[in-house]
């Protein structure tokens, strides 16, 4: 064998061996690859199945959660339905029980009323019989013996505190009369504490100056308060005030004889005066110079309608110790004060908290701006009769923490002012914006967030309607509101009254006078306001049974000029509102004597009564009022054609103030002297025999202010 063949044989054998081994490796590698691929496929299938199961489980879980939520909501809804059903059953039973109790109580009240009325009539019969029998001498002698046997009460035996409390209710004139009864009464009227406050205004032009001088001389160390309002006294009398060293309050308003010289003597002798009223006097700059020099503790000062001092006099307020303690200032009617004068006030009286400026047509926005630059403590502001004040004033007052504001008869104040109120005066409690024609519903919406608001007077704001009042009542202000006056807001309807009954649980005083769009149905919702004490519904379409059945605490009621009212409303008042103290039924021609007899028999606390224009009433009601309403103080009987002058004269001695005439009712009353409605063809003229009588006595009681 040759080497070449040997090489070829080796090469062939090596190539065959490599080929054989490679094919074997390839077959093995392919087999391993198929196994790995199968394993990967198995893992992929497993992973896919897991993801598929996970997705299915997720959808199933979401579905189950939704089903659980739906089931839960369904159960809650079923529970609410069951709860509401139970509540409806309970409320139905409660309502039926309340109705039964109300009917029972109403029946008891009516029965009690009938029994009391029967006793009242029997009492009248007995009184008349006794009056007839008293004309016989035997009866008069028996009555005399009964008088002798009656026990006498000597009030001088009471404690001094009780005696003082009794005499504090009397005027100075009455105290003087009591001192002339006997020696014991004279000693009682000379108690020192009784003469701390002397009011000579109630006896002006009755007691001579000599008596006033002796009184001041005797009680000069006890007198703390003196009132000479409207007294026409000699200068010597005013000078005697200087002996009252402890005097703290002095009122000389409306005294035409009070001069600068009188003020000089008082300022030198009474340095401790805190309250000084100089309104409507003839003082000049000389008096203004005296105030800061002598009255270092002066807190209240009234210069109303004093037109003889000038801006220079106001500049004097900063002299000496100044009037820096002044907190109340009244500049009403002082039209001579300019912007510079208000700057002088701001420089000297920085502590003012109460400012009153009425009847001042010259008052401008610049005056208020000059004042509030340094008087930032003002909390109470009164501007009535200032027509040139505008929204700029409210912007200037933004630095003050106002709590009470009063504007009246202003046409330049608009809704923009109320936007300042909402932002700057969160503690505002009293708002009087009567007769401001620029106020609309937008203003009421701005007032709704005021949580401290208790008094709101928007009388004669004719642009206010149901929408504005609704927006106001929907806010937190409605919860605390106690007094609401919406007189002559002619756009208000029944919707407003319904909203009031729902949102005003603490409302005490409500006036809806002359709101023409109110109906009897809407006014009936007032029964839901159980806290009402005073209601004015005059000039509205009120029915006879409007609200009296639920107004057990009603004290003041005005339903004048509601011509549709009859005796039914008086009967309802006599049954349900026995605490009535003030009643006005003027212009109600259907009221008769029988109704007033019921009123007299039940309403024994009546202080004020206005029956003007009640043409069917006769002299009989005056007898009933004398017997039943012994606390009656003010009685108005204008245009009462069937009440005689003689009966009115007898009644005048029983009341403090009386107005009477028997003229025919004016045409604007809408009916004639017999109560028949007028037509356009009627021509009513006053009767020739009409008599007129007016008896008035000065009184300063709260009842007269309500009237």
């Amino acid at each position: 064998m040759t080497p070449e063949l040997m090489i070829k044989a080796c090469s062939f054998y090596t190539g065959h061996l490599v080929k054989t081994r490679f094919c074997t490796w390839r077959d093995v590698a392919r087999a391993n690859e198929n196994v790995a691929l199968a394993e990967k496929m198995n893992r992929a299938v497993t992973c896919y199945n897991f993801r598929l199961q996970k997705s299915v489980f997720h959808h199933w879980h979401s579905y189950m959660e939704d089903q659980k939520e739906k089931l839960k909501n369904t159960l809650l809804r079923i529970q609410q339905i069951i709860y509401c059903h139970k509540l409806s059953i309970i409320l139905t039973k409660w309502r039926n029980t309340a109705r039964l109790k109300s009917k029972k109580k109403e029946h008891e009240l009516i029965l009690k009323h009938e029994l009391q009325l029967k006793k009242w009539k029997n009492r009248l019969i007995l009184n008349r019989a006794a009056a007839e029998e008293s004309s016989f001498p035997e009866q008069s002698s028996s009555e005399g013996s009964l008088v002798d046997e009656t026990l006498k009460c000597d009030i001088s035996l009471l404690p001094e505190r009780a005696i003082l409390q009794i005499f504090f209710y009397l005027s100075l004139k009455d105290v003087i009369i009591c001192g002339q009864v006997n020696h014991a009464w004279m000693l009682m009227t000379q108690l020192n504490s009784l003469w701390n406050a002397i009011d000579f205004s109630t006896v002006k032009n009755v007691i001579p100056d000599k008596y006033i001088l002796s009184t001041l001389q005797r009680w000069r160390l006890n007198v703390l308060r003196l009132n000479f309002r409207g007294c026409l006294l000699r200068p010597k009398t005013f000078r005697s005030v200087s002996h009252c060293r402890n005097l703290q309050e002095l009122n000389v308003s409306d005294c035409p004889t009070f001069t600068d010289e009188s003020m000089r003597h008082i300022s030198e002798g009474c340095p401790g005066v805190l309250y000084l009223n100089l309104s409507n006097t003839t003082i000049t700059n000389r008096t203004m110079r005296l105030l800061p020099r002598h009255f270092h503790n002066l807190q209240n000062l009234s210069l109303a309608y004093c037109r003889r001092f000038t801006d220079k006099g106001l500049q004097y307020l900063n002299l000496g110790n100044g009037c820096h303690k002044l907190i109340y200032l009244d500049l009403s009617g002082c039209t001579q004060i300019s912007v510079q004068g208000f700057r002088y006030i701001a420089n000297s009286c920085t502590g003012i908290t109460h400012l009153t400026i009425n009847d001042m047509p010259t008052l401008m926005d610049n005056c208020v701006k000059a004042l509030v630059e340094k008087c930032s403590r003002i909390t109470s502001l009164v501007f009535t009769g200032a027509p040139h004040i505008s929204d700029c004033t409210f912007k200037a007052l933004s630095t003050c923490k106002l709590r009470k504001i009063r504007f009246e008869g202003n046409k330049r104040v608009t809704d923009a002012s109320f936007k300042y109120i909402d932002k700057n005066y969160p503690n505002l409690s009293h708002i009087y914006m009567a007769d401001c024609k620029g106020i609309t519903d937008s203003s009421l919406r701005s007032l709704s967030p005021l949580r401290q608001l208790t008094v709101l007077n928007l009388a004669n704001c004719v642009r206010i309607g149901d929408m504005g009042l609704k927006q106001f009542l929907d806010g937190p202000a409605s919860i605390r509101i106690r007094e609401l006056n919406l007189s002559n807001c002619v756009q208000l309807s029944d919707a407003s009254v319904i909203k009031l009954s729902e949102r005003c649980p603490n409302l005490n005083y409500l006036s809806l006078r002359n709101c023409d769009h109110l109906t009897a149905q809407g006014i009936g919702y007032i029964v839901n306001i159980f806290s009402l004490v005073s209601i004015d519904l005059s000039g509205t379409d009120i029915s006879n049974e409007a609200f009296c059945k639920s107004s057990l605490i009603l004290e003041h009621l005005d339903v004048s000029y509601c011509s549709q009212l009859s005796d039914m409303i008086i009967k309802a008042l006599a049954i349900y509102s026995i605490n009535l103290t003030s009643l006005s039924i003027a212009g109600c021609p259907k009221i008769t004597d029988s109704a007033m007899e019921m009123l007299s028999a039940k309403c024994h606390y009546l202080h004020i009564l206005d029956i003007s224009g009640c043409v069917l009433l006769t002299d009989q009601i005056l007898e009933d009022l004398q017997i039943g309403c012994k606390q009656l103080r003010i009685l108005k009987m204008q245009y009462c054609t069937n009440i005689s002058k003689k009966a009115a004269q007898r009644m005048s001695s029983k009341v403090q103030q009386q107005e009477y005439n028997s003229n025919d009712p004016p045409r604007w009353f809408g009916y004639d002297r017999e109560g028949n409605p007028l037509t356009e063809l009627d021509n009513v003229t006053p009767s020739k025999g009409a008599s007129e009588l007016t008896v008035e006595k000065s009184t300063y009681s709260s009842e007269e202010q309500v009237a």
Side-chain angles (χ1 to χ4, degrees):
M1 181 176 290
T2 60
E4 290 85 3
L5 291 174
M6 201 60 185
I7 292 170
K8 287 182 180 180
C10 288
S11 299
F12 176 80
Y13 177 77
T14 302
H16 178 73
L17 184 61
V18 170
K19 184 177 179 180
T20 303
R21 297 297 180 188
F22 178 77
C23 290
T24 303
W25 172 81
R26 186 181 61 185
D27 294 338
V28 174
R30 285 180 179 177
N32 292 336
E33 185 178 357
N34 291 334
V35 173
L37 184 62
E39 290 179 356
K40 288 182 179 179
M41 184 60 69
N42 291 334
R43 287 198 301 269
V45 171
T46 303
C47 182
Y48 174 76
N49 291 334
F50 177 77
R51 289 183 178 181
L52 183 62
Q53 290 177 357
K54 185 177 180 180
S55 177
V56 172
F57 178 78
H58 177 72
H59 287 293
W60 174 82
H61 183 266
S62 300
Y63 172 77
M64 292 304 297
E65 290 293 329
D66 292 340
Q67 292 298 318
K68 287 182 179 179
E69 189 69 24
K70 290 180 180 179
L71 182 61
K72 183 179 179 181
N73 293 334
T74 303
L75 292 175
L76 287 176
R77 189 173 180 183
I78 292 173
Q79 290 177 356
Q80 290 177 354
I81 293 173
I82 296 173
Y83 181 71
C84 292
H85 182 65
K86 289 182 179 179
L87 283 181
S88 63
I89 295 174
I90 294 172
L91 288 175
T92 302
K93 292 182 179 179
W94 173 81
R95 182 175 56 190
N96 294 334
T97 305
R99 285 179 177 176
L100 290 175
K101 289 184 178 180
S102 177
K103 289 182 179 180
K104 184 179 179 181
K105 186 176 181 180
E106 182 177 350
H107 179 70
E108 291 176 353
L109 285 173
I110 294 175
L111 183 61
K112 183 179 178 181
H113 166 73
E114 292 176 352
L115 292 175
Q116 290 179 347
L117 190 61
K118 186 176 180 180
K119 291 181 180 179
W120 166 264
K121 291 181 178 180
N122 293 334
R123 182 183 173 188
L124 287 179
I125 294 173
L126 292 175
N127 288 340
R128 290 170 185 169
E132 293 177 357
E133 293 176 359
S134 62
S135 58
F136 296 98
E138 296 147 354
Q139 180 68 19
S140 61
S141 62
S142 63
E143 288 181 357
S145 62
L146 288 175
V147 172
D148 293 336
E149 293 175 359
T150 56
L151 296 176
K152 296 182 180 179
C153 178
D154 188 0
I155 65 172
S156 62
L157 302 178
L158 296 174
E160 180 177 332
R161 183 177 179 183
I163 296 174
L164 289 174
Q165 192 66 28
I166 294 173
F167 281 99
F168 277 149
Y169 288 101
L170 302 180
S171 64
L172 179 61
K173 181 180 179 181
D174 295 332
V175 172
I176 296 172
I177 294 174
C178 291
Q180 298 174 355
V181 174
N182 52 40
H183 183 71
W185 282 56
M186 183 184 69
L187 294 177
M188 287 188 294
T189 59
Q190 293 180 357
L191 295 174
N192 293 337
S193 301
L194 189 62
W195 296 93
N196 288 342
I198 306 178
D199 188 357
F200 290 108
S201 63
T202 59
V203 292
K204 57 185 178 182
N205 303 327
V206 176
I207 296 180
D209 290 13
K210 182 178 180 180
Y211 178 82
I212 296 177
L213 288 171
S214 61
T215 302
L216 294 177
Q217 182 66 25
R218 180 172 184 176
W219 305 104
R220 61 184 182 274
L221 298 180
N222 298 93
V223 175
L224 300 178
R225 297 184 293 273
L226 279 177
N227 185 2
F228 290 102
R229 183 173 181 266
C231 295
L232 186 63
L233 304 177
R234 293 178 298 176
K236 182 180 179 181
T237 305
F238 285 118
R239 288 198 296 270
S240 63
V241 178
S242 60
H243 300 298
C244 304
R245 298 289 179 178
N246 298 321
L247 188 65
Q248 296 181 1
E249 298 182 12
L250 176 62
N251 186 350
V252 292
S253 59
D254 301 318
C255 294
T257 57
F258 188 83
T259 61
D260 295 331
E261 188 65 22
S262 305
M263 192 70 241
R264 184 180 67 82
H265 289 284
I266 295 175
S267 62
E268 292 175 353
C270 309
V273 171
L274 302 176
Y275 170 91
L276 182 60
N277 191 340
L278 302 173
S279 58
N280 201 18
T281 58
T282 59
I283 62 167
T284 64
N285 291 341
R286 291 179 58 194
T287 294
M288 303 299 290
R289 185 190 292 268
L290 296 173
L291 296 180
R293 291 184 175 179
H294 298 279
F295 301 127
H296 302 154
N297 298 318
L298 188 63
Q299 296 180 0
N300 292 50
L301 176 62
S302 177
L303 300 172
Y305 307 101
C306 297
R307 295 189 172 93
R308 295 196 177 185
F309 69 88
T310 62
D311 291 344
K312 187 176 181 180
L314 296 174
Q315 188 179 10
Y316 292 149
L317 295 178
N318 205 21
L319 297 177
N321 293 327
C323 296
H324 301 297
K325 295 184 179 180
L326 200 65
I327 59 175
Y328 175 88
L329 180 61
D330 188 352
L331 298 174
S332 301
C334 298
T335 55
Q336 75 278 13
I337 302 177
S338 65
V339 177
Q340 187 61 39
F342 282 99
R343 289 197 181 97
Y344 292 147
I345 296 174
N347 293 331
S348 56
C349 308
T350 56
I352 294 177
T353 58
H354 304 278
L355 179 63
T356 301
I357 306 178
N358 299 326
D359 300 328
M360 197 165 178
T362 58
L363 187 66
M364 309 293 288
D365 293 333
N366 293 333
C367 299
V368 181
K369 290 179 182 178
L371 184 64
V372 299
E373 285 179 356
K374 297 184 179 180
C375 298
S376 58
R377 300 181 184 177
I378 297 177
T379 59
S380 176
L381 194 63
V382 180
F383 287 159
T384 62
H388 298 294
I389 293 295
S390 67
D391 298 332
C392 298
T393 293
F394 281 90
K395 186 176 181 180
L397 290 169
S398 59
T399 58
C400 304
K401 297 180 180 179
L402 291 180
R403 294 185 179 180
K404 297 181 181 180
I405 58 173
R406 180 167 185 170
F407 283 71
E408 187 173 342
N410 193 302
K411 297 181 180 180
R412 301 186 64 186
V413 175
T414 64
D415 295 335
S417 299
F418 285 82
K419 293 181 180 179
Y420 291 115
I421 291 176
D422 179 20
K423 296 178 181 178
N424 300 303
Y425 316 128
N427 296 322
L428 205 59
S429 60
H430 291 64
I431 299 179
Y432 300 85
M433 303 292 284
D435 198 20
C436 294
K437 302 297 191 284
I439 296 176
T440 65
D441 290 343
S442 178
S443 300
L444 283 175
R445 183 170 61 250
S446 301
L447 296 179
S448 60
L450 299 178
R451 297 181 179 273
Q452 304 298 325
L453 189 63
T454 57
V455 177
L456 179 60
N457 188 335
L458 298 175
N460 300 323
C461 296
V462 295
R463 299 176 65 184
I464 291 177
D466 292 332
M467 183 56 66
L469 189 60
K470 178 182 180 300
Q471 293 172 342
F472 169 74
L473 295 176
D474 285 336
S478 61
I479 304 300
R480 294 176 60 90
I481 196 76
R482 292 188 299 102
E483 180 178 341
L484 183 61
N485 190 339
L486 299 172
S487 301
N488 297 313
C489 295
V490 293
Q491 297 186 25
L492 298 179
S493 64
D494 293 344
S496 297
V497 181
I498 296 173
K499 197 68 176 179
L500 280 172
S501 64
E502 296 174 352
R503 297 288 299 170
C504 299
N506 298 313
L507 191 63
N508 298 137
Y509 302 91
L510 175 63
S511 177
L512 298 171
R513 174 189 291 262
N514 296 331
C515 293
D516 300 336
H517 291 85
L518 297 181
T519 64
Q521 183 179 2
I523 295 175
Y525 282 91
I526 295 179
V527 299
N528 298 324
I529 310 177
F530 300 103
S531 58
L532 277 178
V533 175
S534 175
I535 310 175
D536 186 351
L537 296 172
S538 57
T540 60
D541 187 20
I542 182 178
S543 63
N544 286 317
E545 298 180 356
F547 51 85
C548 301
K549 292 185 179 181
S550 297
S551 303
L552 300 178
I553 62 173
L554 190 65
E555 296 182 4
H556 309 283
L557 177 62
D558 189 344
V559 290
S560 52
Y561 309 109
C562 299
S563 57
Q564 69 276 10
L565 296 181
S566 63
D567 291 348
M568 292 296 295
I569 189 172
I570 304 298
K571 181 179 180 181
L573 288 172
I575 296 175
Y576 301 102
S577 302
I578 60 175
N579 295 321
L580 205 64
T581 60
S582 174
L583 175 63
S584 176
I585 51 174
C588 299
K590 297 181 181 179
I591 305 297
T592 64
D593 288 351
S594 60
M596 298 305 297
E597 182 182 14
M598 289 188 288
L599 186 74
S600 303
K602 297 296 293 292
C603 299
H604 303 301
Y605 305 105
L606 199 62
H607 292 171
I608 303 171
L609 179 61
D610 189 353
I611 54 174
S612 300
C614 297
V615 293
L616 300 182
L617 300 181
T618 64
D619 295 349
Q620 180 62 40
I621 68 157
L622 300 183
E623 298 181 8
D624 297 336
L625 290 173
Q626 291 181 30
I627 298 174
C629 302
K630 296 184 180 298
Q631 298 186 26
L632 191 63
R633 300 179 183 179
I634 301 175
L635 178 60
K636 297 182 180 182
M637 301 182 293
Q638 303 282 351
Y639 313 114
C640 293
T641 55
N642 289 321
I643 296 180
S644 64
K645 181 179 179 180
K646 185 177 180 181
Q649 287 177 335
R650 289 197 302 267
M651 189 65 186
S652 64
S653 61
K654 306 295 183 180
V655 295
Q656 295 181 2
Q657 179 178 334
Q658 176 176 302
E659 298 178 5
Y660 165 77
N661 70 57
S662 59
N663 296 337
D664 289 347
R667 288 187 59 86
W668 59 270
F669 271 45
Y671 54 87
D672 58 16
R673 64 183 291 111
E674 296 179 356
N676 300 319
L678 294 177
T679 61
E680 294 182 358
L681 299 178
D682 291 331
N683 185 17
V684 181
T685 57
S687 59
K688 296 181 180 179
S691 59
E692 184 171 4
L693 174 66
T694 301
V695 179
E696 296 184 0
K697 295 183 179 180
S698 60
T699 175
Y700 298 96
S701 62
S702 59
E703 288 80 6
E704 184 178 359
Q705 296 176 358
V706 173

